[in-house]
Amino acid sequence: MIAINNLHKSFGDLEVLKGIDLNVQKGQAVVVIGPSGSGKTTFLRCLNILETPTAGTVAIDGHMADFSKPLPKKQIMEFRKQSAMVFQHYNLFPHMTALENVMEGPVTVQKIDRAEARAKAEELLTKVGLKEKMNEYPFQLSGGQQQRVGIARALALEPKVMLFDEPTSALDPELVGEVLQVMKELAQEGMTMVVVTHEMRFAKGVADEVLFMDAGRIIERGTPQEIFDHPKEERTKQFLNLIQNADTI
Amino acid sequence: MYLNSIFTNPERLERLLDIAQSSFLPLLEGAIQYTIPLTLISFTIGLILATLTALARISTVKFFQIVARIYVSIIRGTPLLVQLSILFYGLPTVGITLEPFTAAILGFSLNVGAYASEVIRAAILSIPKGQWEAANTIGMSYSQALKRIILPQASRVSIPPLSNTFISLVKDTSLASFILVTEMFRRAQEIAAFNYEFLLLYSQAGLLYWIFCFLLSLVQGRLENRFDRYVSKA
C-alpha cells in the first residue's frame, strides 16, 4: 500500500530525515515512536506532502511521487487524496459545525451532492459516537470530541491511508481513551494507518508493526513484542526505559 | 455673540430655525444622491481591490508583490485631496475627462483598496497555519482553501478595522465637494454661500455625518455578534 524509498527532508542546513525506507501492507497499522526531534512528525507530514521532501520517492496505492524534482501542483493534489491527516491540535474549521466540517471535503473537493454528503457525514459522526453533537461548533466540544470530528473529517474523503500525528498528545488524560478507541476500531476494520504517538499501550495493543525513529532514521522495527519486550538497539532500550520510568514516577 | 443674538433677538432665532428646516431636505438629498452611493460603491470596489492587493502581497510571485507594494505606497503616501485633484483636474490635460462622480468613485475606491488591503493581509496572516494544512489535507486547492476556510475566518477578524475604514470613508466623501460633486457638504456650502449662515449649515452637515457614522457603528456591533457565534465567549 505504501512504499517509501530513501526519503530525505532538510530544513535549510538541518537534515531532519536522513533516508527513510518503509513498506506498509494494506490493512496494516504502523506505529512510529521516538524521542521528540527524531523526525517522526516530519516523516508523517511528508506522506501527505504537508512538508515537501527534499529527495526520495513515496508511492501510495500505485500513485508515485518522486521528490528529486519539483512536483506540479496537480500531481501533489492527486497524491494527497490517497491519504488523510489527523492533527495533534485537531485543526477543525472553527466557523463550521461538526457536521459541516465533515461535509466540507466531499462537497467542496469531491463535488458530491450536499444531501448525499450530509448522509455520509452523519453516518461517520455516528460511527465516532458524536451523532448528538453534530450541530455544535468546535468550541462547544471537548478536545476528545474535536479529535473524533477530526477523524471523521479525514475519513469522509475515503482515503486509502490514515495518518495520525500525535492525535492524543493535546488531550486531557481522561479523554485519550475515547480517541484511541475510535482508532482501534478503524484498525480492526482494516484501515491502513500510520500513527505517530506516545501511547505505548495503543502501540502494544493495536500496531502490526512498530518503528523506532531517532535522529532522522528508523533505528529499529518489528512487532510490538519485539520492540517493547526485546529491543535490540541500545537507543531503543534507552528510550523505552525513559518512558517507563516516567510512567512509574 | 452668536448665542446671545439668538436669545435677545427672537426674529433672528426664527430665521435660523427657518433656514435649518428648509435646508434639511436639500442636505439629505445630497446625502442620498451622492454621499451614500459614493460611500457604498467605493467601499465595495475598494474591498475587492483590497482583497486582490492583499493576496498579491502574500503571493509567492515577486512581480505581484512589487506591484501591490507600489500601489499601496503611492496611495498611502499622497493626500486624498491631491489624488482627487489629479483625477478630475489633472487628467483632462492628457485627454482623459472624467465626470465628477466617476472621478470621485475612482479616487475613493483606490484609497479604500490601499488602506483596507493592509487590514485584510493582516487578517489572513492571523489565521493559524494549521487551517491551511487541514484544508490541504482534505484535498483543497489554494483558491478553495482561501474561499471556504481562510477568508471566512479572516473576515471576522477584520470587521473592527474595516469598520474604521468605512466610517472614515463616509466622512472623506465630503472631499468630493472639491471636485464639484454636489454631495451633502457641497450642498451646505452652496446654501451657506447664499444666506451666510455658515455655522448653522456646517453644523447641520456635521450632525448628519455623525448620525450616519453612529448608525454604522450599530451595524458593526451586529456584524461582530453574528460572526462571533462560532467563537467561545469565555
Side-chain angles (χ1 to χ4, degrees), chain B residues 53-73:
Chain B
T53 309
L55 292 178
R57 279 293 302 272
I58 58 172
S59 122
T60 49
V61 183
K62 259 261 140 46
F63 175 75
F64 290 158
Q65 289 179 23
I66 291 170
V67 171
R69 269 172 183 278
I70 292 174
Y71 160 58
V72 172
S73 170

Side-chain angles (χ1 to χ4, degrees), chain A residues 114-160:
Chain A
R114 272 198 89 82
E116 196 183 320
R118 193 192 159 92
K120 192 165 124 192
E122 282 179 13
E123 190 184 311
L124 283 168
L125 284 169
T126 310
K127 182 185 161 101
V128 298
L130 289 174
K131 190 175 194 295
E132 274 70 45
K133 300 281 180 185
M134 67 187 187
N135 292 318
E136 310 263 312
Y137 285 99
F139 82 91
Q140 295 165 306
L141 302 174
S142 73
Q145 290 167 338
Q146 289 192 50
Q147 191 58 295
R148 285 185 281 153
V149 176
I151 294 174
R153 179 177 69 180
L155 287 173
L157 294 137
E158 297 175 353
K160 290 164 189 134

Side-chain angles (χ1 to χ4, degrees), chain A residues 45 48 50 77 80 85 87 91-96 104-105 108-109 111 137 139 153 157, chain B residues 129-131 133-141 144 148-149 152-153 229-233:
Chain A
R45 290 164 58 85
N48 201 230
L50 290 176
M77 288 185 54
R80 271 202 186 120
M85 175 81 85
F87 298 91
N91 298 3
L92 294 185
F93 306 130
H95 57 306
M96 298 180 181
E104 187 59 24
T108 303
V109 179
K111 312 284 181 206
Y137 285 99
F139 82 91
R153 179 177 69 180
L157 294 137
Chain B
K129 198 168 149 254
Q131 290 292 308
E133 293 183 347
N136 285 337
T137 197
I138 63 168
M140 285 189 176
S141 63
Q144 285 172 332
R148 299 282 309 163
I149 309 302
Q153 293 181 63
R229 72 188 184 283
Y230 61 80
V231 183
S232 165
K233 308 289 185 293

Side-chain angles (χ1 to χ4, degrees), chain B residues 161-179:
Chain B
L162 282 182
S163 301
N164 259 347
T165 311
F166 194 88
I167 285 173
S168 292
L169 177 63
V170 173
K171 296 175 297 174
D172 284 348
T173 56
S174 61
L175 291 174
S177 62
F178 188 71
I179 58 168

Side-chain angles (χ1 to χ4, degrees), chain A residues 165-184:
Chain A
D165 181 15
E166 304 197 22
T168 57
S169 311
L171 295 177
D172 290 336
E174 76 272 20
L175 302 176
V176 168
E178 61 190 66
V179 173
L180 292 182
Q181 184 57 37
V182 170
M183 291 168 64
K184 188 176 171 185

Side-chain angles (χ1 to χ4, degrees), chain A residues 191-209:
Chain A
M191 174 60 81
T192 312
M193 357 202 305
V194 181
V195 184
V196 170
T197 186
H198 294 294
E199 294 296 329
M200 297 304 148
R201 258 178 310 160
F202 176 79
K204 281 177 197 166
V206 179
D208 297 297
E209 187 172 23

Side-chain angles (χ1 to χ4, degrees), chain A residues 22-43:
Chain A
L22 178 69
N23 281 299
V24 180
Q25 302 304 314
K26 190 172 192 308
Q28 261 195 329
V30 174
V31 168
V32 185
I33 60 171
S36 62
S38 59
K40 53 194 191 312
T41 286
T42 305
F43 165 62

